[in-house]
C-alpha cells in the first residue's frame, strides 16, 4: 500500500491564486523513520509519504486540525456538518461519491474533537494517486455550501 497523509490548512480567508504559486514553490523534506518521508510546503501543508509495497493499494488521507473543540457557543456540530458538506461536490467533481465509486475507492470522513479526516483507498496507480490528491485539493477549496444541502445534512448530523 502506498499511502499519503496530507495535513494542514492550505487555504484560508484571503487565500488567492497568486499565493498558491508563491507558497508552494518550495518544500522541505525530511525522513521520519520507518520509511516515512515528510514534506512541508511553504503554505503549511504537511505531506507524509509512506510506501508499502506489500499491498497494491494507494490511500490518500487528508487531516485538517479543526474539530468540535474549536466550535463556539451555539455552533455545536458545525465541524461534523462541514465534513458532510464537502462530499456534496464541486464544479469539477459534481458527484464526489460517484467519482470515488467509479474508481472502486473505499472512502469516508470522520470528525473528532481536534481534527476532521477524509480518506480514499484505491488500486495503486499514478492516475489514482493523482485523482485522489486533486479531488481533495478541489473539495477543500471549491466546495459550495448550498442552503438546501445544509438543511438536509443538518438533520443527518443532529440525529
Amino acid at each position: 500500500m502506498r499511502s499519503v497523509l496530507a495535513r494542514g490548512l492550505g487555504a484560508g480567508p484571503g487565500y488567492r491564486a497568486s499565493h498558491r504559486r508563491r507558497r508552494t514553490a518550495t518544500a522541505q523534506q525530511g525522513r521520519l523513520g520507518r520509511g516515512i518521508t515528510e514534506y512541508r510546503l511553504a503554505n503549511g501543508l504537511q505531506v507524509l509519504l509512506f510506501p508499502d509495497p506489500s499491498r497494491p493499494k494507494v490511500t490518500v488521507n487528508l487531516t485538517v486540525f479543526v474539530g468540535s473543540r474549536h466550535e463556539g457557543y451555539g455552533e455545536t456540530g458545525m465541524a461534523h456538518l462541514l465534513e458532510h458538506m464537502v462530499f456534496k461536490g464541486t464544479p469539477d467533481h459534481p458527484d464526489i461519491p460517484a467519482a470515488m465509486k467509479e474508481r472502486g475507492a473505499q472512502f469516508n470522513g470522520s470528525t473528532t474533537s481536534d481534527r476532521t479526516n477524509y480518506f480514499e483507498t484505491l488500486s495503486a496507480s499514478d492516475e489514482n494517486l493523482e485523482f485522489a490528491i486533486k479531488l481533495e485539493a478541489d473539495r477543500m477549496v471549491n466546495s459550495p455550501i448550498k442552503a438546501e444541502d445544509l438543511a438536509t445534512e443538518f438533520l443527518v448530523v443532529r440525529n
Side-chain angles (χ1 to χ4, degrees):
M1 177 189 319
R2 201 164 30 161
S3 126
V4 174
L5 169 65
R7 303 189 308 174
L9 297 172
Y15 183 79
R16 295 185 304 272
S18 61
H19 287 140
R20 188 175 319 135
R21 285 189 301 278
R22 185 181 74 234
R23 288 182 167 172
T24 59
T26 62
Q28 296 175 355
Q29 179 180 347
R31 294 254 176 224
L32 298 178
R34 298 185 183 182
I36 300 171
T37 304
E38 175 186 30
Y39 300 89
R40 287 191 180 261
L41 304 182
N43 67 358
L45 184 70
Q46 177 188 26
V47 177
L48 301 178
L49 179 62
F50 176 55
D52 180 356
S54 70
R55 303 201 50 211
K57 300 284 184 184
V58 61
T59 297
V60 172
N61 180 23
L62 178 98
T63 301
V64 180
F65 292 111
V66 176
S68 59
R69 74 180 175 99
H70 300 98
E71 298 167 347
Y73 180 77
E75 297 174 334
T76 302
M78 288 297 116
H80 190 198
L81 179 62
L82 186 58
E83 172 209 322
H84 280 238
M85 295 302 295
V86 300
F87 280 94
K88 292 297 185 179
T90 70
D92 287 345
H93 299 95
D95 189 341
I96 289 174
M100 298 274 207
K101 289 175 187 171
E102 186 177 292
R103 291 176 174 266
Q106 294 178 322
F107 61 95
N108 210 338
S110 63
T111 302
T112 68
S113 63
D114 60 352
R115 60 119 187 108
T116 304
N117 182 71
Y118 307 91
F119 79 89
E120 46 274 342
T121 300
L122 307 101
S123 295
S125 73
D126 291 343
E127 294 81 20
N128 280 342
L129 178 60
E130 183 175 346
F131 163 80
I133 291 171
K134 284 184 175 180
L135 182 135
E136 291 300 348
D138 181 41
R139 72 176 168 172
M140 290 300 114
V141 176
N142 298 312
S143 290
I145 307 299
K146 299 177 184 170
E148 61 269 17
D149 291 337
L150 273 173
T152 303
E153 292 304 318
F154 189 71
L155 292 174
V156 171
V157 169
R158 288 189 66 173
N159 293 324

